[in-house]
Amino acid sequence: MDHRLRFVLIVLIGVLFDQASKIIVVEYIPLFQSIEIIPGFFDLTHLRNPGGAFGFFADKSQNIRVFVFVFMAFIALFLILWFYKTTDKNLKWLRISYSMIFAGAVGNLIDRIKFGYVVDFLDIYIKDMHWPAFNIADSFISIGMCIIVYHVLFNKIPDF
């Protein structure tokens, strides 16, 4: 498959899956309510994250937050495309990782522009210890970053 087509497919699938999941959560789970999936470990919880990762900048005004996060997202998207274009075509998994990060950034950017916040709903916890809630876009970004970290640490791409 042509690398450009793979990039577009990964981005489309990631953004569509992310946005569809958020629409379902917003439509069917009231804000701050949860649906228990795995008792004591995993819930679907409808939350709004006005800040960045781990609530960064959440205490700033909405106008400042939206401007900063949209501006940063566009810079990140530009850099991701640049990394993608300058990466050797033989490094397929590294290029896939950039595609996944791009998809996640676009998914969360859509939320920022549309709502002024990001819809989060994946809630992992043990007893009272909760990992910050996240979404499909965040998952795409995290998986893409894990592939990059593996490549940097071991100077190779995982053989899946």
Side-chain angles (χ1 to χ4, degrees):
M1 175 184 297
D2 179 65
H3 72 91
R4 291 171 294 229
L5 177 60
R6 184 183 313 114
F7 179 87
V8 170
L9 285 175
I10 290 169
V11 170
L12 282 176
I13 289 168
V15 170
L16 289 174
F17 190 40
D18 174 66
Q19 290 297 299
S21 65
K22 291 172 180 174
I23 289 168
I24 291 167
V25 166
V26 168
E27 184 70 26
Y28 294 103
I29 303 174
L31 186 61
F32 305 120
Q33 298 298 308
S34 298
I35 297 174
E36 188 175 62
I37 305 297
I38 301 173
F41 182 70
F42 176 62
D43 293 349
L44 296 178
T45 303
H46 181 181
L47 298 170
R48 295 176 180 169
N49 181 1
F54 306 107
F56 176 71
F57 251 64
D59 60 339
K60 303 297 180 204
S61 76
Q62 181 172 343
N63 289 340
I64 290 173
R65 283 193 319 266
V66 170
F67 174 77
V68 168
F69 289 123
V70 168
F71 180 73
M72 288 176 20
F74 278 109
I75 290 172
L77 290 172
F78 173 79
L79 288 172
I80 294 163
L81 282 176
W82 183 78
F83 285 128
Y84 183 89
K85 289 181 72 74
T86 59
T87 297
D88 186 327
K89 289 178 178 63
N90 294 323
L91 297 173
K92 180 174 96 174
W93 280 101
L94 193 54
R95 287 177 149 235
I96 288 171
S97 72
Y98 294 138
S99 305
M100 293 178 75
I101 294 167
F102 193 91
V106 169
N108 283 336
L109 178 60
I110 290 169
D111 281 15
R112 294 253 180 238
I113 292 170
K114 197 160 72 170
F115 304 123
Y117 56 83
V118 173
V119 175
D120 285 332
F121 58 92
L122 300 171
D123 183 15
I124 296 175
Y125 61 96
I126 298 174
K127 297 189 183 200
D128 290 335
M129 298 182 304
H130 285 254
W131 182 258
F134 58 101
N135 57 46
I136 302 301
D138 299 334
S139 299
F140 265 67
I141 293 168
S142 296
I143 292 167
M145 287 304 300
C146 285
I147 294 169
I148 292 170
V149 167
Y150 184 91
H151 173 72
V152 169
L153 290 176
F154 300 107
N155 200 25
K156 64 179 181 177
I157 294 298
D159 185 20
F160 295 108

